[in-house]
Amino acid sequence: MTVLLEGCYLSGSLRNPTPALAPLYASLRYQANALGAAWENVDTESGAAFALHVADHVAVDCVLEGWSDAVERPISETLAQAATGLMSVHGRASGGAQPLGVDYVSILTAVLSLQGAMAAAIGGLRGASTHTTTASLTSSALLSVAQYLAGATAPETPERLRPGTASVQERPPFMSADGVVFELETLDAVPWRDFWTQAGVDAASAGKGWSGFLLRYAKAIAPVPVALCEALATLPFAQIEHIAQQTGVAICRVRTLQERAQDEDTMDMWRNGPWRFQCDGGLAQARPLKPCDPSSHLPLAGLTVVESCRRIQGPLAGRLLSLLGATVIRIEPPGGDPLRGIPPMAEDVSARFDALNRDKNVREIDIKSATGKAEVMALIQQADVFLHNWAPGKAAEMGLEYDDMKQVNPDLVYTYAGGWGARAEHGLPGTDFMAQAYSGVAAKIAAASGLPGGAVFTVLDVLGGAVAAQGVTAALLARGLGRARSIRVDTSLLGAATLLCADELGALLQQAGYQSHVLDGEPPSPAWTSLSGVYATAQGLIALDCLDERAFSRLTHAIVDAASEHRLNRANDNLNREHLQRVLQHRKAQEWAALFEMNGVPAAVVVEDLTELSRDPRLAPALDKDIYVRVNSPWRFQ
């Protein structure tokens, strides 16, 4: 069990939380427990909030809001996904806008809120007067779609990708002749070409599929010619495995959570949470954290992070640390990161790239050369954190491992944002879609979405980036509390997947050490929750999410009144999905949303066009309409 923050504790009310916030609180309790921090139950009338206590004189309050404008109105996982466009992004490759099928926004908000509280506590230990931080569900949800929003609102050739853009039959995962559903991965065109050639696909079709497959991380669609799917559907899985092995393509069967629970490393990862901490060095020689920069109100101002990362997970982690005030020095290869030039562009840089990397100081260094290694070490001497997501073994190969850097900076927090964690022995590439398939997340999303596999939206890259930044923050807090000198932090996409399914895996791992983090109180009644979901209206979609009796009653009255107005069967005592759908088709989604808001019914229009987000006043504080629509910091500090 990780005891990094032993002696610290969170306080707040866990008794009968609102059903909408129950997943967030359950994840908070799980994360606190995994970090070694206790939870003290304190009944409060102050609404959704908790406090982090790290020392006698340092405690931070964290306020949890629903909407970015802090106005109180119904909110839930489903409504946050609908109103922020997350359903829309997931729907690009899943046949239409629909819920992701996991408590993604709630768990991401739990990660960010705990990270914000830890960062504020670090600021307090460094002399800042920060005592309160605020996070919200919709701000977290917007963060998860930031790169897609940048692509949709870029000034040059913006992407117009709406739900249902790509066929659900002509995209990964694939299915073999004997019914095995599997993901496929390669980052190189040559293995891709050789694999399809051996599978009996003509070169033109294979080539046409490559560009769509390669850009699926950026666009949340993965269109491939039907010939590719049909070719694999004629081959048994064993033969496909053989071809993959011969050509250097990786494949991974879409596994269930039950299968994942039986892996040797699952119990350890579940018990310790999505991070691994290794604390070293003599505390007597440890340098205290640098004092807070008085010119900034942000809690990590004055600290320096050196980052060497590509794609999404690592860069997002660096971006979040930057938003907390840290100075981030980003190492890029000579000539710059090639992803800088991938359209759509915002002036001279890719809008998607900028969304993940803005406000960083860039240094172009050939880290494979002796000169480059010396430059990196010179940066490390003055840094507080080093963050990378290199391929497994590359750090040791280049002489830039934790032990190497510890020699030049014994007070360093060294962080690796990888794919699989320390015990990975399967040799699969650590990418989002492979991790979804291996971890059971893809199967869970598939079950909820009616798909053969997971989301093409980068579910684990985003959550994994937040987890990596959170791990850095926890390690810095431990440094500030004098718990350790140098600290190695390991995080992974598989760890993020474990966090996303923590309660289900916990239930499957019912062995010694199992502790449920599901909160006290009665579970929502099926009669209420059965109406939750997405409905078609006369124009547009609307999401409804009745999680308690009062919300259900309000919805029933509103629908009965509307049915009477439209001379439809009232069916007031037996409101069901069929009747609800019939009534909803008589007005536009926006009209229903206005009516439901007036009556306190939990509802939100499903945003299918991301360009509409910037016109929603409820989300305005979280967005910045500049050269493209940017997502602001998910935290506020006071």
Side-chain angles (χ1 to χ4, degrees):
M1 174 66 69
T2 303
V3 292
L4 191 76
L5 299 185
E6 188 174 25
C8 303
Y9 67 97
L10 277 67
S11 64
S13 178
L14 291 178
R15 295 194 183 96
N16 299 316
T18 63
L21 292 179
L24 190 163
Y25 272 94
S27 188
L28 264 179
R29 188 162 75 165
Y30 167 77
Q31 292 174 45
N33 181 64
L35 286 168
W39 186 293
E40 182 178 287
N41 201 55
V42 178
D43 290 330
T44 174
E45 300 296 328
S46 59
F50 67 91
L52 171 63
H53 307 259
V54 302
D56 290 341
H57 62 291
V58 179
V60 175
D61 294 322
C62 180
V63 178
L64 298 167
E65 296 176 340
W67 294 84
S68 305
D69 64 355
V71 174
E72 190 171 344
R73 60 176 74 86
I75 188 66
S76 70
E77 174 74 37
T78 298
L79 302 189
Q81 289 192 23
T84 61
L86 200 158
M87 282 188 189
S88 169
V89 176
H90 176 45
R92 291 178 181 180
S94 63
Q98 59 176 312
L100 196 54
V102 290
D103 292 324
Y104 190 74
V105 177
S106 301
I107 291 169
L108 180 59
T109 305
V111 171
L112 293 171
S113 61
L114 183 54
Q115 184 185 358
M118 290 191 293
I122 293 168
L125 293 169
R126 298 168 61 227
S129 59
T130 306
H131 53 82
T132 303
T133 180
T134 303
S136 77
L137 271 79
T138 51
S139 293
S140 301
L142 287 170
L143 180 73
S144 72
V145 298
Q147 64 158 331
Y148 307 103
L149 180 57
T153 58
E156 300 176 30
T157 61
E159 293 171 344
R160 294 286 182 256
L161 297 169
R162 295 175 65 95
T165 296
S167 167
V168 295
Q169 280 80 42
E170 298 170 17
R171 50 153 281 197
F174 301 101
M175 182 182 292
S176 67
D178 43 356
V180 178
V181 179
F182 60 96
E183 273 289 351
L184 183 153
E185 185 63 280
T186 177
L187 301 177
D188 192 333
V190 174
W192 171 271
R193 179 200 61 197
D194 295 346
F195 175 85
W196 291 111
T197 298
Q198 291 199 30
V201 175
D202 63 272
S205 296
K208 188 176 179 182
W210 173 242
S211 60
F213 180 81
L214 190 63
L215 288 175
R216 68 198 191 285
Y217 287 93
K219 297 188 174 183
I221 57 173
V224 297
V226 67
L228 277 61
C229 306
E230 291 175 346
L232 295 183
T234 66
L235 302 175
F237 187 64
Q239 185 175 346
I240 296 170
E241 283 187 303
H242 178 72
I243 295 174
Q245 189 175 26
Q246 292 295 310
T247 56
V249 164
I251 60 173
C252 179
R253 193 165 47 81
V254 174
R255 307 192 314 155
T256 64
L257 282 175
Q258 287 79 6
E259 290 175 286
R260 171 60 186 149
Q262 295 173 16
D263 292 344
E264 288 186 5
D265 66 327
T266 306
M267 175 61 89
D268 180 64
M269 186 168 279
W270 180 82
R271 280 179 171 166
N272 290 287
W275 336 266
R276 293 289 179 280
F277 300 101
Q278 177 185 331
C279 301
D280 295 299
L283 294 180
Q285 291 78 41
R287 291 182 301 184
L289 290 176
K290 300 165 189 167
C292 215
D293 182 348
S295 66
S296 173
H297 69 285
L298 296 175
L300 299 191
L303 301 181
T304 300
V305 176
V306 176
E307 170 203 304
S308 180
C309 299
R310 290 198 63 197
R311 294 184 174 273
I312 301 170
Q313 176 193 17
L316 176 60
R319 170 71 177 145
L320 289 171
L321 295 169
S322 169
L323 290 170
L324 289 170
T327 297
V328 178
I329 301 172
R330 174 176 168 78
I331 298 173
E332 295 188 12
D337 190 324
L339 295 180
R340 285 181 171 276
I342 300 296
M345 303 294 285
E347 295 183 339
D348 60 349
V349 67
S350 163
R352 273 194 296 269
F353 182 91
D354 193 64
L356 294 166
N357 292 291
R358 65 179 294 100
D359 297 329
K360 298 177 183 177
N361 302 310
V362 177
R363 293 282 298 272
E364 294 185 10
I365 300 175
D366 179 5
I367 57 176
K368 297 178 182 177
S369 70
T371 303
K373 177 183 171 183
E375 289 183 69
V376 172
M377 287 300 191
L379 290 173
I380 293 304
Q381 276 187 308
Q382 305 303 320
D384 301 280
V385 176
F386 178 65
L387 167 68
H388 78 90
N389 67 349
W390 299 328
K394 289 294 182 185
E397 184 181 307
M398 295 186 292
L400 295 174
E401 253 292 6
Y402 171 52
D403 289 340
D404 303 310
M405 293 193 178
K406 237 180 9 176
Q407 299 301 313
V408 299
N409 184 349
D411 300 287
L412 185 69
V413 171
Y414 180 103
T415 304
Y416 178 45
W420 301 108
R423 293 190 177 183
E425 296 177 352
H426 43 61
L428 294 171
T431 59
D432 192 310
F433 307 122
M434 296 300 269
Q436 282 193 51
Y438 182 85
S439 66
V441 167
K444 185 172 168 61
I445 292 173
S449 303
L451 301 169
V456 187
F457 159 66
T458 50
V459 170
L460 297 182
D461 269 331
V462 171
L463 184 59
V467 164
Q470 186 195 36
V472 170
T473 311
L476 286 171
L477 179 57
R479 283 264 293 104
L481 290 169
R483 302 288 174 79
R485 191 174 188 190
S486 59
I487 303 176
R488 177 182 176 124
V489 186
D490 284 272
T491 65
S492 65
L493 299 178
L494 187 59
T498 303
L499 178 63
L500 198 56
C501 304
D503 275 320
E504 295 96 326
L505 284 172
L508 292 167
L509 293 167
Q510 289 189 37
Q511 303 174 22
Y514 169 67
Q515 178 187 352
S516 172
H517 296 88
V518 175
L519 306 183
D520 300 335
E522 292 295 323
S525 164
W528 305 328
T529 58
S530 64
L531 294 180
S532 296
V534 174
Y535 294 85
T537 69
Q539 181 178 318
L541 302 172
I542 192 161
L544 295 169
D545 203 10
C546 295
L547 297 176
D548 58 33
E549 185 175 11
R550 189 167 59 171
F552 178 74
S553 176
R554 289 171 174 169
L555 173 65
T556 300
H557 284 110
I559 292 300
V560 167
D561 289 346
S564 177
E565 178 184 331
H566 295 293
R567 299 180 182 180
L568 298 170
N569 179 14
R570 294 170 64 91
N572 56 321
D573 294 330
N574 297 296
L575 183 62
N576 56 38
R577 293 185 71 90
E578 182 182 8
H579 179 66
L580 180 57
Q581 178 61 87
R582 194 160 53 244
V583 178
L584 289 172
Q585 286 177 327
H586 286 263
R587 295 186 186 185
K588 298 177 181 177
Q590 291 287 358
E591 294 171 343
W592 281 117
L595 175 66
F596 287 152
E597 181 166 358
M598 189 168 59
N599 288 278
V601 176
V605 173
V606 178
V607 173
E608 298 183 79
D609 181 349
L610 297 186
T611 63
E612 296 175 359
L613 290 175
S614 62
R615 295 194 286 271
D616 188 337
R618 300 170 301 179
L619 307 178
L623 299 173
D624 181 9
K625 289 193 287 185
D626 201 329
I627 190 167
Y628 62 89
V629 178
R630 295 171 179 149
V631 176
N632 294 328
S633 171
W635 304 285
R636 297 198 311 273
F637 294 98
Q638 293 180 313

